[in-house]
Amino acid sequence: MTGNRRPTIKTVAARAGVGRTTVSRVVNGSDLVSADARARVLAAIKELNYVPNSVARGLVTNRTNAVALVIPESESRLGSEPFFAALIRGVSGALAESGTQLQLMLVRDQAERDQLTESVATRRVDGVLLVSVHSEDRLPRTLEEMGLPIVLAGRRDAGEQLSYVNSDNAGGAAEAVRHLLGRGRRRIATITGPQDMDVGRARLAGWHTAHREAGVPVDEALIEAGDFTEDSGGRAMRLLLERTPDLDAVFAASDLMAVGALAELRRRKRSVPGDVAVVGFEDSVLARHTNPPLTTVRQPVEELGRTMARILTDITLNDGPRQQITLPTELVVRESS
């Protein structure tokens, strides 16, 4: 070999006098190789200082050793919401354990959706981790019909058939509202997540559950929709205060919406928690740095990402079964309530 070019599987095959498939079988520990051929391949690998790559392994395993993390959101939202950063840390950490590469794909329009399906059709990835799934989104079904393993962050509805990892959204929300009721609050508003997402519906259901358990009548005027962004939290808080000025607490279905609500309350000179107690959901890094620090429901986002990645790895490597896992949440009480 001349120069500093890295040896390839083709180089090893030529040196050993065998085909590339034989080299790949040796690399992957297959028994379908004679002792003589194995010895020659191993000698060539040592002599050439060859390092196997995913393409070589793929000749036998039909795997790329890469999975896609698909997020159908904008770049600005990806950068502004701590949830996505924590999820990516969890996914990438777990995939590193198995030597699997992560491809981050934002699917914001039809062109990017087509690019994703092309990657799937040509088997450039072994599976897909899908985030921010809306009930009517056809993407999960399209990927499933193409025969690709999929694991969802959350679920589309209670009858979800695909593998998913979810947080106990309804239980966490109910615990948040029970906490506010226990502090003597009775006019507890909620800023919901999108109602075309199971996570948004579940957290609203938890708000209803806690009221029902306590025998406190539900006032529909205390419900305002948001979309998990800070701006939507501020806008929802403004509408709630205009409609129900006597509210004394608000449960926001995300920390970012709670941040927006806190800003609107400050603007209207409502003290927190004196006039209005505030609780969020997620326990992102933001929660510890609001003024006052935010009471919130902790969901284990990094663990959610790790679990998703491990399920997908088990499916792609071991033909493992579909799994549906719900992770527990925990109320973290700070000064905002």
Side-chain angles (χ1 to χ4, degrees):
M1 196 175 84
T2 61
N4 295 318
R5 289 168 53 191
R6 180 178 175 179
T8 66
I9 190 171
K10 183 178 180 180
T11 315
V12 174
R15 180 65 59 92
V18 298
R20 284 180 292 173
T21 300
T22 300
V23 175
S24 191
R25 283 174 175 159
V26 172
V27 166
N28 285 279
S30 171
D31 293 329
L32 302 176
V33 182
S34 69
D36 176 63
R38 185 183 304 280
R40 283 186 284 136
V41 169
L42 292 175
I45 286 174
K46 182 176 181 181
E47 182 181 347
L48 296 170
N49 196 27
Y50 169 68
V51 178
N53 59 35
S54 61
V55 175
R57 290 192 295 269
L59 288 176
V60 165
T61 64
N62 197 30
R63 296 185 67 250
T64 64
N65 286 328
V67 300
L69 174 60
V70 178
I71 303 177
E73 301 288 356
S74 65
E75 288 181 0
S76 61
R77 191 155 184 178
L78 182 67
S80 65
E81 297 193 20
F83 172 86
F84 293 120
L87 186 79
I88 292 169
R89 282 197 302 272
V91 168
S92 60
L95 291 178
E97 295 172 4
S98 63
T100 304
Q101 295 179 336
L102 175 63
Q103 296 181 15
L104 178 61
M105 303 183 72
L106 302 185
V107 178
R108 297 158 292 190
D109 54 32
Q110 190 58 46
E112 291 178 337
R113 186 175 289 250
D114 292 343
Q115 182 181 359
L116 170 62
T117 54
E118 181 186 354
S119 292
V120 171
T122 55
R123 287 300 188 265
R124 281 179 250 169
V125 293
D126 297 323
V128 169
L129 303 166
L130 190 54
V131 185
S132 293
V133 180
H134 295 257
S135 298
E136 300 305 316
D137 190 349
R138 279 195 50 82
L139 185 57
R141 181 176 298 177
T142 299
L143 296 174
E144 183 182 27
E145 289 171 350
M146 297 176 76
L148 196 74
I150 310 164
V151 180
L152 306 179
R155 60 187 188 181
R156 287 169 291 181
D157 53 49
E160 181 64 72
Q161 297 298 307
L162 297 176
S163 292
Y164 67 76
V165 184
N166 202 18
S167 294
D168 183 9
N169 293 301
E175 187 176 7
V177 179
R178 289 188 200 106
H179 165 72
L180 291 168
L181 290 165
R183 295 289 173 94
R185 310 290 171 151
R186 286 299 178 269
R187 297 284 288 163
I188 303 171
T190 184
I191 302 173
T192 76
Q195 293 302 288
D196 66 340
M197 299 180 73
D198 180 77
V199 58
R201 296 190 299 271
R203 291 177 188 176
L204 176 58
W207 179 85
H208 277 283
T209 295
H211 280 84
R212 186 171 59 252
E213 290 174 348
V216 176
V218 166
D219 183 352
E220 297 295 325
L222 290 167
I223 302 172
E224 188 59 48
D227 63 6
F228 293 137
T229 64
E230 182 177 348
D231 286 346
S232 76
R235 181 173 59 254
M237 190 74 255
R238 181 176 68 253
L239 293 172
L240 286 165
L241 289 169
E242 290 171 355
R243 192 164 62 233
T244 54
D246 62 336
L247 66 84
D248 58 9
V250 60
F251 164 61
S254 77
D255 286 352
L256 263 181
M257 293 196 299
V259 168
L262 287 169
E264 181 63 21
L265 288 166
R266 278 196 303 274
R267 193 176 74 80
R268 291 177 175 256
K269 301 197 175 357
R270 297 284 189 103
S271 68
V272 177
D275 296 327
V276 180
V278 179
V279 177
F281 202 114
E282 188 180 333
D283 194 29
S284 65
V285 65
L286 296 173
R288 296 184 289 279
H289 299 290
T290 57
N291 182 22
L294 183 66
T295 294
T296 185
V297 178
R298 176 178 294 155
Q299 63 170 344
V301 181
E302 285 196 41
E303 181 60 27
L304 190 150
R306 283 193 294 269
T307 305
M308 289 175 66
R310 287 168 182 159
I311 291 173
L312 187 60
T313 299
D314 184 46
I315 293 172
T316 58
L317 284 179
N318 307 315
D319 197 24
R322 291 184 178 183
Q323 298 184 52
Q324 298 181 337
I325 295 175
T326 299
L327 301 177
T329 56
E330 175 189 1
L331 183 68
V332 179
V333 179
R334 299 191 179 97
E335 288 87 335
S336 69
S337 63

